[in-house]
Amino acid sequence: MSNPLPVGATIGILGGGQLGRMLSIAASRLGLKTHIFEPGANPPAMDVAHTVTTAGYDDQDALTAFANAVDVITYEFENIPTSALDLLETLKPLHPGRQALATSQDRLVEKTFLRDLGLQTAPFANVENADDLAEAIKTIGTPAILKTRTMGYDGKGQARIMTPDQADSALADMAGAAAILEGFVDFKIEISIIAARNPDGAVACYDPGENVHVDGILSTTTVPATLTPSQRTDAVLLAARILNALDYVGVMGVELFVTPQGLIVNEIAPRVHNSGHWTQNGCVIDQFEQHIRAVAGWPLGDGSRHSNVVMENLIGDDMDRVPEAAKTNAAIHLYGKADVKAGRKMGHINRITGNA
Amino acid sequence: MSNPLPVGATIGILGGGQLGRMLSIAASRLGLKTHIFEPGANPPAMDVAHTVTTAGYDDQDALTAFANAVDVITYEFENIPTSALDLLETLKPLHPGRQALATSQDRLVEKTFLRDLGLQTAPFANVENADDLAEAIKTIGTPAILKTRTMGYDGKGQARIMTPDQADSALADMAGAAAILEGFVDFKIEISIIAARNPDGAVACYDPGENVHVDGILSTTTVPATLTPSQRTDAVLLAARILNALDYVGVMGVELFVTPQGLIVNEIAPRVHNSGHWTQNGCVIDQFEQHIRAVAGWPLGDGSRHSNVVMENLIGDDMDRVPEAAKTNAAIHLYGKADVKAGRKMGHINRITGNA
């Protein structure tokens, strides 16, 4: 067993959004403090973190002071500038590590990694220019989707190509950014599996959740998902293979398409994941505590579930539904964001639907 | 329906111990901020509260600034100086109100209130001097227990009188404080019921927990308790009667002795209660969120339980058990206290024992 962080130690978290907020709450339960590093003012995590540093990722002094003040560094989003990581990892352990970040920050690297692991992905091709795109459309066919290789999330940086004549317009949408063409996958359902690995190599998975997206943003996750026992087994084995290959430490969200040809990996996120929020009310040890346990070198929870849950995101004006939801015995989780904006994740609701 | 506090509002909490800490975490889930008022430095709640004021209860300027900065005031302990309450309640709503505090701060007032409500208590008598005590021992008999009327908790300020000749020594232990003699109750088990009431008069109760004390300090709470259906009903009705009589707003812990003659009220605590910590892992809406909902004027959770739980307190050196507990899939809740001291509540562990 590696040396676990002692009670009272401090977890440094890059990013102070809702994931950092819920990580901070989980850490506090274990008697661990959190120190948030976040460029924006008044981040959601501020209300529940022990310390907040407000500074940019190019502020070397602030990064150094942050690293010196914490015992281990983790993050709530994968698009952290490389220069910041280069500095931080010389000062304190960074979990999950650089290999996981480098893989998930770039869709082309990620898809190539998954394919090389022997896992199924959507057909894909690198697109650097119009010629590449024309060639890729020939190979992959349409409909397909052009995505920036980096920095995309929640459907941003994506353009659908329903017919070959939409290629130019889609390429223009990329605004010169490096891109990847992905073939459409004809899937029955999308699921995600939230997996964790600690420094000793122990792996634990939660039961997969079934996801429904609306306008490219996760709307609901339902647990249990509609899966056969062998599909469940496949999902667990596949997740473990990914985490082991990356010598991963922390929680990872793995999005999968369920197809007649088996499970196809859509994408991986090297962090706690929106589709794992149901664990807060379905499990004794939720994904946030699981991640904190992993990066702190503590034993992992076994991923067992006491209740079935439907998680519903509150996006933008969905906040208007909170007063009604408060009457229903549902678990309400709000992120403390002052401004309601269209498309902005404001909170989520977990409804227990029965014993597991 | 009274006007509920809007998301983003601030709950002021007097006291920054573990109860204030867990209240802060619960408030954050609902998008409510907390502002802790606490005389001691580095209180446990500091790690997870939006704002902390460090000042004494005699600091009128600090109390005024605190009240002006919050939307409603509550507390995590009942022994708040009267002068502070006199000031605060002129500035902002105070929940639970003065009647509940005045009742629970003084064992004689509390017992009298309960008896006048038609509820059973241990036999008791006011003891102001040696003559009173001699008279009380004649009426009540021995064994009995002499307790200070105010400021006692966790077995402090108490002296057992096993035989009449121990009267002088027990009275000396009171160090001149006003006292009350209570007869021993021959009980099978001790239970507590955690009840809540909101400003609309809605009442909700959790199923009673069965408590085991060691050295006067709560050691474990087990849910469900060993009770007949009619005992459960009696406990709920009795708790509702107490809350309604006090026009109570918030969560209250009611400790009861189960005897062949029915339920006997041991004491009431006008706050979240150690014997309700099991709700964190047994219920969707735990006692901390329930209290926040009540004082914020939100609808209450219905008190339903998804899982059976055994709660075990971690007192002093019990902290040494945390590494083993971390391997067992139990829910660990630590309070962030830097120094381990004998008799000090450092955390607790909730173990789910099955579906409810």
Side-chain angles (χ1 to χ4, degrees), chain B residues 342-353:
Chain B
R344 192 176 202 198
K345 291 178 178 172
M346 304 299 298
H348 64 276
I349 295 173
N350 285 334
R351 294 180 203 279
I352 285 188
T353 56

Side-chain angles (χ1 to χ4, degrees), chain B residues 7 124 205 300:
Chain B
V7 169
F124 64 94
C205 295
L300 300 178

Side-chain angles (χ1 to χ4, degrees), chain A residues 7 21 24-25 28-33 46-50 281 284-285 289 293 298-304 306-307 319 322-323 326-327 329-334 336 350 352 355-356, chain B residues 7 21 24-25 28-33 46-50 281 284-285 289 293 298-304 306-307 319 322-323 326-327 329-334 336 350 352 355-356:
Chain A
V7 169
R21 179 181 173 102
S24 289
I25 290 172
S28 78
R29 285 200 300 265
L30 301 179
L32 299 167
K33 300 183 194 306
M46 188 178 68
D47 296 346
V48 289
H50 183 269
N281 296 96
V284 169
I285 295 170
E289 181 171 330
R293 283 172 172 251
W298 286 39
L300 299 178
D302 67 5
S304 61
H306 54 70
S307 300
M319 281 295 282
V322 168
K327 297 176 187 169
N329 219 44
I332 297 173
H333 298 267
L334 303 181
N350 285 335
I352 285 188
N355 288 331
Chain B
V7 169
R21 179 181 173 100
S24 289
I25 290 173
S28 78
R29 284 200 301 264
L30 301 179
L32 299 166
K33 301 184 195 305
M46 188 178 68
D47 296 347
V48 289
H50 183 269
N281 296 97
V284 169
I285 295 170
E289 181 171 330
R293 282 172 173 251
W298 285 40
L300 300 178
D302 67 6
S304 61
H306 55 71
S307 300
M319 281 294 283
V322 169
K327 298 176 186 167
N329 219 46
I332 297 173
H333 298 267
L334 303 182
N350 285 334
I352 285 188
N355 288 332

Side-chain angles (χ1 to χ4, degrees), chain A residues 80-96:
Chain A
I80 306 151
T82 301
S83 59
L85 297 168
D86 287 342
L87 172 59
L88 292 170
E89 72 174 358
T90 64
L91 299 170
K92 286 291 157 62
L94 175 75
H95 297 310

Side-chain angles (χ1 to χ4, degrees), chain B residues 17-330:
Chain B
Q18 62 266 22
L19 301 181
R21 179 181 173 100
M22 293 184 279
L23 286 168
S24 289
I25 290 173
S28 78
R29 284 200 301 264
L30 301 179
L32 299 166
K33 301 184 195 305
T34 54
H35 184 148
I36 301 286
F37 189 101
E38 162 67 46
N42 297 319
M46 188 178 68
D47 296 347
V48 289
H50 183 269
T51 310
V52 177
T53 294
T54 307
Y57 289 112
D58 56 353
D59 185 334
Q60 305 263 312
D61 291 343
L63 287 167
T64 302
F66 166 75
N68 287 333
V70 306
D71 295 293
V72 62
I73 299 171
T74 187
Y75 43 87
E76 59 143 29
F77 73 120
E78 54 270 44
N79 294 318
I80 306 151
T82 301
S83 59
L85 297 168
D86 287 343
L87 172 59
L88 291 171
E89 72 173 359
T90 64
L91 299 169
K92 286 290 157 65
L94 175 75
H95 298 309
R98 291 299 289 274
Q99 193 189 352
L101 273 169
T103 303
S104 63
Q105 281 179 342
D106 185 320
R107 292 180 196 280
L108 182 64
V109 176
E110 181 181 313
K111 285 248 177 342
T112 306
F113 160 77
L114 293 167
R115 189 182 58 191
D116 292 351
L117 257 188
L119 305 178
Q120 294 191 80
T121 69
F124 64 94
N126 186 24
V127 173
E128 295 182 6
N129 52 46
D131 288 349
D132 286 351
L133 181 53
E135 188 65 31
I137 289 174
K138 266 190 214 156
T139 312
I140 293 170
T142 55
I145 188 159
L146 192 64
K147 299 179 178 179
T148 56
R149 282 175 52 178
T150 61
M151 300 298 283
Y153 66 97
D154 284 349
K156 297 189 174 77
Q158 304 194 359
R160 288 180 184 221
I161 301 179
M162 302 309 287
T163 52
D165 63 298
Q166 294 175 332
D168 288 351
S169 153
L171 196 59
D173 283 353
M174 299 297 106
I180 177 175
L181 188 74
E182 296 181 12
F184 265 36
V185 174
D186 185 20
F187 59 91
K188 286 169 58 187
I189 59 171
E190 190 210 287
I191 63 169
S192 51
I193 183 158
I194 308 295
R197 187 172 177 276
N198 76 4
D200 297 323
V203 172
C205 295
Y206 297 101
D207 209 22
E210 184 166 335
N211 301 326
V212 174
H213 288 79
V214 174
D215 297 334
I217 304 180
L218 183 65
S219 176
T220 63
T221 300
T222 301
V223 178
T226 319
L227 294 173
T228 64
S230 71
Q231 285 169 329
R232 269 170 229 280
T233 304
D234 286 351
V236 167
L237 293 176
L238 173 161
R241 200 189 303 183
I242 294 171
L243 271 64
N244 286 329
L246 294 170
D247 196 19
Y248 195 82
V249 173
V251 161
M252 173 182 280
V254 181
E255 293 183 8
L256 301 166
F257 297 129
V258 180
T259 78
Q261 291 75 42
L263 301 178
I264 292 181
V265 185
N266 180 29
E267 64 178 39
I268 63 175
R271 53 171 169 78
V272 289
H273 197 260
N274 194 165
S275 65
H277 290 0
W278 67 268
T279 58
Q280 293 174 308
N281 296 97
C283 304
V284 169
I285 295 170
D286 67 21
Q287 67 162 347
F288 301 100
E289 181 171 330
Q290 189 81 313
H291 184 75
I292 295 293
R293 282 172 173 251
V295 303
W298 285 40
L300 300 178
D302 67 6
S304 61
R305 180 174 95 254
H306 55 71
S307 300
N308 298 332
V309 180
V310 176
M311 188 286 305
E312 175 191 355
N313 267 338
L314 296 173
I315 299 176
D317 289 339
D318 291 345
M319 281 294 283
D320 296 341
R321 284 196 242 141
V322 169
E324 278 305 311
K327 298 176 186 167
T328 66
N329 219 46

Side-chain angles (χ1 to χ4, degrees), chain A residues 224-280:
Chain A
T226 319
L227 295 174
T228 65
S230 72
Q231 286 170 328
R232 269 170 229 278
T233 304
D234 286 351
V236 168
L237 293 176
L238 172 161
R241 200 190 301 185
I242 294 171
L243 271 63
N244 286 329
L246 294 170
D247 196 19
Y248 195 82
V249 173
V251 160
M252 174 183 280
V254 182
E255 294 184 8
L256 301 167
F257 296 129
V258 181
T259 78
Q261 291 74 43
L263 301 178
I264 292 180
V265 185
N266 179 30
E267 65 178 38
I268 63 175
R271 52 171 169 78
V272 289
H273 196 259
N274 194 165
S275 65
H277 290 1
W278 67 268
T279 59
Q280 293 175 307

